[in-house]
Structures are given as structure tokens and as C-alpha cells.
């Protein structure tokens, strides 16, 4: 979806799977990101305190980590959300996450629902 000056954006609804609700506590950080499937570095990312779930967020070019690596620069992206125990942006053992399949940004008009349930080994 494109707005006048922000370029492309992707809306996400992030939920917690029932099976991992007891593992989540307020000391964790929630990382939400979009990246090119071919690259490890996110094109857009946000770090938040643990919100009330379900939680909605929109990622856009204003959240780029590197100026020329934005959502606008990628035709295909994957999105993900990770609850981090360490507060580290890199996945650590014991973190809980979800990662989408790759999709074409221009064709994605609805919010993507991500359900966090996979425990990082």
C-alpha cells in the first residue's frame, strides 16, 4: 500500500500463540522487522516493550536502518516478530519468534497476521 510521501508500507497484526503465553514477561523486547529474503539486514524495524497482544504496527521507509536499504528498494520482503529475552536484535536461544513467507510488497493490501510461537533453539 502506498501513501503520498512515505512510499510502501506493510501493516502487521502480531498475536501470541496460546502455547507460549506463559513464557512471555515484561522484561522482554519485541522486535518487528521487514527484510529482503536475500539479505540478513532489516529494511525496516522497530523495537518495543512487550505490548498487549494482539498488537498492530505499520512498517515503512521511515524505519529504515540504512538510508538506501528501504522497503522501497525491495520488491519482495519477509516480515517477522521476535520476543527477545536478552534485548539483543540478533535471535538468541530461548527467544520466541515468527517469520512470514516471502511476499510481493506491491500486492499486499491487507494487514499480515503473525502469530508468535516458534521458540529459537
Amino acid at each position: 500500500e502506498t501513501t503520498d510521501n512515505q512510499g510502501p508500507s506493510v501493516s502487521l497484526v502480531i498475536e501470541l500463540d496460546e502455547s507460549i503465553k506463559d513464557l512471555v514477561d515484561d522484561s522482554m523486547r519485541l522486535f518487528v522487522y521487514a527484510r529482503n529474503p536475500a539479505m540478513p539486514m532489516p529494511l525496516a524495524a522497530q523495537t518495543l516493550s512487550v505490548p498487549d497482544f494482539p498488537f498492530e504496527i505499520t512498517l515503512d521507509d521511515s524505519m529504515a536502518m540504512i538510508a538506501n536499504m528501504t522497503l522501497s528498494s525491495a520488491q519482495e520482503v519477509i516480515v517477522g516478530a521476535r520476543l527477545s529475552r536478552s534485548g539483543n536484535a540478533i535471535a538468541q536461544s530461548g527467544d520466541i519468534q515468527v517469520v512470514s513467507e516471502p511476499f510481493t510488497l506491491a500486492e499486499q493490501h491487507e494487514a499480515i497476521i503473525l502469530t508468535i510461537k516458534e521458540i529459537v533453539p
Side-chain angles (χ1 to χ4, degrees), residues 47-98:
T47 309
L48 310 139
S49 301
V50 175
D52 290 330
F53 292 97
F55 164 74
E56 189 162 352
I57 187 169
T58 299
L59 299 177
D60 62 37
D61 281 354
S62 72
M63 300 167 186
M65 321 267 284
I66 302 172
N68 61 349
M69 283 181 59
T70 59
L71 283 175
S72 300
S73 72
Q75 293 206 300
E76 197 177 54
V77 296
I78 57 178
V79 289
R82 184 173 56 257
L83 284 163
S84 166
R85 295 189 183 287
S86 64
N88 193 319
I90 310 290
Q92 312 272 321
S93 178
D95 290 352
I96 314 163
Q97 68 181 1
V98 58

Side-chain angles (χ1 to χ4, degrees), residues 9-119:
S9 65
V10 58
S11 294
L12 308 174
V13 175
I14 299 165
E15 305 174 334
L16 283 186
D17 190 75
E18 285 294 328
S19 66
I20 54 94
K21 282 199 165 132
D22 293 346
L23 302 176
V24 177
D25 66 61
D26 287 345
S27 69
M28 298 173 112
R29 300 288 294 165
L30 176 66
F31 291 91
V32 182
Y33 60 88
R35 67 179 176 81
N36 180 323
M39 313 275 278
M41 193 72 190
L43 300 171
Q46 287 283 285
T47 309
L48 310 139
S49 301
V50 175
D52 290 330
F53 292 97
F55 164 74
E56 189 162 352
I57 187 169
T58 299
L59 299 177
D60 62 37
D61 281 354
S62 72
M63 300 167 186
M65 321 267 284
I66 302 172
N68 61 349
M69 283 181 59
T70 59
L71 283 175
S72 300
S73 72
Q75 293 206 300
E76 197 177 54
V77 296
I78 57 178
V79 289
R82 184 173 56 257
L83 284 163
S84 166
R85 295 189 183 287
S86 64
N88 193 319
I90 310 290
Q92 312 272 321
S93 178
D95 290 352
I96 314 163
Q97 68 181 1
V98 58
V99 182
S100 76
E101 293 296 316
F103 61 91
T104 305
L105 206 49
E107 293 169 5
Q108 186 62 44
H109 303 297
E110 315 254 314
I112 294 175
I113 297 173
L114 293 176
T115 303
I116 299 174
K117 65 180 169 200
E118 178 201 338
I119 298 172

